[in-house]
Amino acid sequence: MPEDVWRKRHRFLSGLTWFHAVIIALAGFVLGYSGELSLGALFRKDTLIHAVGEGLIVAFFAALARWEGISRAFRASAVGFGLMSASAILVHLSGGYIELHFHFFVMLTFLALYQDWIPYVLAVVYVAIHHGVVGVLWPEVVYNHPAAFNAPWTWAGVHAFFILWASVGSIIAWRFNEVAFARTKLILESAGDGIVGLDREGKVTFVNAAAAKMLGLDARESVGKQIGQVVRHTQADGTPFLGDASPILTPLKDGIPRHAADELFWRRDGTSFPVEYLSTPIFDRGQLEGVVATFEDTTDRKRAELKFRGLLESAPDAMVIVNREGRIVLVNAQAERLFGYARQELVGQPVELLVPERFRAAHPGHRTGYVAEPRVRAMGAGLDLYGIRKDGTEFPVEISLSPLEAEGEVLVASAIRDVTDRKRAQVELAQQAQELARSNAELEQFAYVASHDLQEPLRMVASYTELLAKRYRGQLDPDADEFIAYAVDGATRMQGLINDLLAYSRIGKSGSRSELTDCSGVLGRVLTDLEMAIEESGAVVTHGTLPEVMGDAAQLRQVFQNLISNAIKFRGQEPSCIHVSCERSGDDWLFSVRDNGIGIDPQYADRLFVIFRRLHTKAEYPGTGIGLATCRRLVERHGGRIWLKSEPGKGSTFFFTLPVERR
């Protein structure tokens, strides 16, 4: 049982014992007993001195119960003996009046308030001896009727029955009380916060384990002491409060709870710790009975706050923290430098101070909406935002927002970054990209015009050199035949190069027809076109199931034809084995063209897709160096990409992707 509860009950029960002592001592005067003062009168029940003596016996036990130097069980036992003796004396003084026997039962019920087995069992033993032993041996002392004189054992049993059930009822109530107290104590002891109970006089009535640990004291020894004797309470800087009185006691005066977060509790060893506490008044039927102070050691929180402030100050961006009402509660040095305000000029001001005038009217609505549904918003969310400095200049910013939970309040942390340089760079980059696009367009136009206009004179050169080769072969000297052959070969290769270049330049100029295209059908037509090359090289071309895609059938046909032609061309000693397959990869179709040809070194993989870049001489493998560049441009035009995996001597696999659906 808590010390304060036990003390209250003990005061009541010891007072009850004193009450009986006085009543018994005065009983002789009320009943008109003899005032004889002889030694013999002391032992006669009808004398005043006898009644006073019996009252002194009860008073002795009452006085013994007030002795603070003995244990609670001993003091409670003294009360038990006093009340049981009072019951026996009242029965004795009444001449064994039967109704006064119930006084024992009532006193046993009162003794159950201690919830202590030692005084209770001793009291029951006292009643058993009085009604059993004394009642049987000297029934006239205990009873006042003939039936009890003739059958003392029977009446002793009757009284034992009443005692038994009175005890059972008291013990049941006792156990219910113990369970309730145990649960309450368990809750209080399990609490992580310190809890201290105080009565109306500011004396400690309860200290839980957390409070005892934080304050470095013994909970039992603290009960009954003034709060100032248990803990010294000062302001945050160590300055005592007015009159050295703890503000925890303030609710005892005005009945209003008090909350504080920046004060110190001092331990007996002279160390202190910051606390946040709530002192709540306790009312019982409208009467102020005391206060309950709950507190927590905020050392770790303060340390975390300092660390947070350190992180805030070390952040590369301007940090502005705003409360629910939109007022600035914290800024870092970067914010001071960015906006040109001193810290004290910003704290407490509405955040709209940093918003340009033309946006201020709408900003509170945006802010309220965010607080209602707080979420993390990263920088670069695609919003064009602006800030305004103290001198009135505006500048573009990026802002990330993050909700913060602090002491039950939702704050909004804003990381603000000046993106003036980036915006300027973006404008310059856009201008460069525009210029580059114009230049590329001009180059494409030039390539198209040049290749188109060169075709006619080149066709004439090729025709006449071929005519010379046919008409005059063998009629001139060997050198002439060789020179004519070179001219014919050069003209033929030039025609092929110009045709490929013209086709490459037309990719960007001619519009593509995007329609649902069966890739299996496209591949079939390509294999038909390459039938002679496949037969002459002895190549074997296989394929898996190919999907339908949205695209230009003619352009996709050129992609397959270029890749398969290369696989046939760049073969090794063994006949070419070429396999075309496709599988789903997320939102794309992943196509692959695998061969067992000569392969290439992976370091040259990207170089192959650049126009006119070749890894072999024309004598080794003929070609213009435009085929793979054309493939890349066509695939990218369809929203895909193309790449290569290969090892020398182990063949190559060309991969390219096309969107699953592109309408």
Side-chain angles (χ1 to χ4, degrees):
M1 181 186 298
E3 186 70 19
D4 62 316
V5 177
W6 187 90
R7 286 179 178 275
K8 287 181 180 179
R9 295 186 179 187
H10 181 68
R11 281 197 298 270
F12 166 72
L13 292 172
S14 60
L16 184 63
T17 308
W18 279 111
F19 172 77
H20 281 85
V22 173
I23 291 297
I24 291 171
L26 296 177
F29 296 97
V30 176
L31 297 175
Y33 285 174
S34 168
E36 182 183 348
L37 299 177
S38 64
L39 183 62
L42 182 63
F43 297 98
R44 292 203 309 273
K45 68 177 183 179
D46 56 351
T47 63
L48 292 175
I49 191 173
H50 179 78
V52 171
E54 290 188 322
L56 289 174
I57 293 173
V58 178
F60 167 76
F61 288 115
L64 187 62
R66 300 290 294 176
W67 186 17
E68 295 283 348
I70 56 179
S71 67
R72 286 181 8 174
F74 197 95
R75 295 166 68 187
S77 298
V79 169
F81 278 113
L83 293 177
M84 292 301 103
S85 297
S87 298
I89 290 169
L90 290 174
V91 170
H92 169 63
L93 291 177
S94 68
Y97 197 63
I98 189 65
E99 281 75 9
L100 281 177
H101 285 269
F102 289 99
H103 193 276
F104 284 100
F105 312 148
V106 176
M107 293 303 104
L108 280 173
T109 302
F110 278 125
L111 282 174
L113 292 174
Y114 279 121
Q115 296 180 199
D116 191 333
W117 286 104
I118 295 176
Y120 195 81
V121 170
L122 289 176
V124 171
V125 170
Y126 188 109
V127 176
I129 292 174
H130 180 268
H131 282 68
V133 178
V134 177
V136 170
L137 297 180
W138 301 284
E140 67 280 357
V141 177
V142 178
Y143 307 111
N144 68 341
H145 51 91
F149 298 157
N150 296 327
W153 284 107
T154 300
W155 283 93
V158 171
H159 283 269
F161 178 81
F162 282 112
I163 289 291
L164 174 63
W165 287 107
S167 300
V168 168
S170 297
I171 291 171
I172 290 174
W174 170 358
R175 289 302 301 159
F176 277 128
N177 274 337
E178 279 189 338
V179 170
F181 272 118
R183 287 178 178 172
T184 302
K185 183 177 181 180
L186 180 62
I187 293 172
L188 294 175
E189 293 294 346
S190 301
D193 293 342
I195 304 176
V196 176
L198 304 173
D199 61 17
R200 285 178 293 182
E201 299 174 355
K203 292 182 178 180
V204 176
T205 58
F206 177 79
V207 179
N208 75 340
K213 182 178 180 180
M214 281 188 270
L215 296 171
L217 49 81
D218 185 290
R220 187 178 291 271
E221 291 180 359
S222 302
V223 173
K225 294 181 180 179
Q226 289 288 338
I227 184 63
Q229 297 176 280
V230 175
V231 57
R232 187 162 69 91
H233 185 186
T234 69
Q235 300 180 53
D237 59 359
T239 305
F241 291 102
L242 184 63
D244 206 24
S246 173
I248 291 176
L249 300 175
T250 303
L252 291 176
K253 300 176 182 178
D254 54 23
I256 300 174
R258 185 179 191 277
H259 173 264
D262 289 313
E263 295 173 2
L264 296 179
F265 279 178
W266 294 78
R267 304 183 184 91
R268 291 181 178 180
D269 60 5
T271 60
S272 65
F273 59 94
V275 294
E276 178 180 356
Y277 69 86
L278 176 65
S279 182
T280 307
I282 303 172
F283 291 94
D284 184 11
R285 286 173 290 186
Q287 295 295 319
L288 183 62
E289 295 294 332
V291 298
V292 171
T294 58
F295 63 91
E296 62 173 317
D297 183 347
T298 59
T299 301
D300 292 339
R301 188 199 305 171
K302 293 290 184 183
R303 190 178 295 118
E305 287 178 359
L306 290 175
K307 184 177 180 181
F308 174 73
R309 288 179 180 271
L311 291 173
L312 201 67
E313 291 299 329
S314 63
D317 297 317
M319 300 296 298
V320 177
I321 298 180
V322 180
N323 63 15
R324 181 180 290 272
E325 289 73 36
R327 295 197 172 271
I328 299 171
V329 297
L330 194 64
V331 298
N332 67 350
Q334 292 285 1
E336 292 181 282
R337 285 191 286 270
L338 181 61
F339 291 98
Y341 288 95
R343 193 168 310 214
Q344 57 269 23
E345 293 180 286
L346 290 174
V347 174
Q349 296 298 319
V351 71
E352 282 75 23
L353 178 68
L354 307 178
V355 178
E357 183 70 32
R358 65 183 190 278
F359 300 124
R360 286 181 185 172
H363 191 265
H366 298 317
R367 175 168 47 77
T368 302
Y370 181 85
V371 172
E373 296 182 6
R375 64 199 181 281
V376 175
R377 192 188 78 189
M379 281 192 176
L383 302 175
D384 288 327
L385 305 174
Y386 294 87
I388 186 169
R389 297 186 176 91
K390 184 178 180 180
D391 61 9
T393 58
E394 291 188 16
F395 58 99
V397 296
E398 276 190 349
I399 301 176
S400 71
L401 301 178
S402 301
L404 294 177
E405 184 78 24
E407 300 179 0
E409 182 181 8
V410 176
L411 304 177
V412 179
S414 307
I416 306 170
R417 184 177 300 167
D418 183 353
V419 294
T420 301
D421 293 339
R422 186 197 304 170
K423 289 287 186 181
R424 188 182 299 114
Q426 287 175 347
V427 171
E428 293 175 356
L429 187 61
Q431 292 174 345
Q432 291 175 0
Q434 187 177 3
E435 181 65 23
L436 184 61
R438 185 190 61 79
S439 177
N440 285 338
E442 290 178 353
L443 286 175
E444 286 182 1
Q445 181 67 19
F446 172 77
Y448 176 77
V449 172
S451 57
H452 182 273
D453 292 349
L454 284 174
Q455 275 191 318
E456 185 58 31
L458 184 60
R459 188 179 300 113
M460 184 177 294
V461 171
S463 297
Y464 280 105
T465 53
E466 288 177 1
L467 184 60
L468 284 173
K470 291 178 180 179
R471 181 172 297 182
Y472 296 105
R473 182 180 292 116
Q475 298 182 22
L476 303 176
D477 60 25
D479 288 341
D481 289 343
E482 184 179 356
F483 296 156
I484 292 173
Y486 285 153
V488 171
D489 179 64
T492 302
R493 285 191 290 107
M494 181 62 73
Q495 275 187 315
L497 179 61
I498 289 176
N499 287 333
D500 288 346
L501 184 60
L502 184 61
Y504 183 80
S505 65
R506 281 173 175 168
I507 294 174
K509 295 179 68 65
S510 60
S512 61
R513 295 186 306 167
S514 182
E515 58 185 3
L516 191 62
T517 302
D518 182 6
C519 291
S520 294
V522 171
L523 179 61
R525 289 191 290 274
V526 168
L527 296 180
T528 300
D529 292 342
L530 297 176
E531 185 176 358
M532 184 176 295
I534 293 172
E535 289 180 359
E536 290 177 352
S537 64
V540 176
V541 182
T542 59
H543 65 88
T545 302
L546 302 183
E548 292 182 337
V549 299
M550 294 300 297
D552 186 315
Q555 293 182 353
L556 294 178
R557 180 177 178 178
Q558 191 170 355
V559 172
F560 282 116
Q561 183 164 325
N562 287 357
L563 293 177
I564 294 174
S565 296
N566 279 353
I568 295 173
K569 182 195 301 183
F570 295 99
R571 63 183 181 272
Q573 298 296 324
E574 299 292 329
S576 296
C577 291
I578 305 166
H579 183 72
V580 181
S581 63
C582 183
E583 63 182 28
R584 181 75 175 262
S585 177
D587 294 332
D588 293 320
W589 291 113
L590 176 61
F591 290 83
S592 64
V593 179
R594 187 181 72 248
D595 64 56
N596 62 341
I598 60 175
I600 65 168
D601 193 319
Q603 64 177 317
Y604 303 119
D606 292 334
R607 180 179 174 183
L608 285 178
F609 297 99
V610 179
I611 191 169
F612 299 135
R613 293 292 180 89
R614 297 172 51 87
L615 300 181
H616 304 279
T617 65
K618 295 181 178 62
E620 293 176 306
Y621 297 99
T624 61
I626 298 179
L628 289 179
T630 301
C631 287
R632 183 175 70 174
R633 195 166 186 187
L634 290 172
V635 169
E636 290 177 350
R637 190 173 177 81
H638 281 75
R641 62 191 186 94
I642 187 169
W643 69 97
L644 164 68
K645 288 186 178 180
S646 179
E647 289 186 39
K650 295 185 178 181
S652 304
T653 302
F654 285 83
F655 297 94
F656 66 92
T657 63
L658 295 176
V660 170
E661 182 177 0
R662 185 178 177 85
R663 299 183 184 274

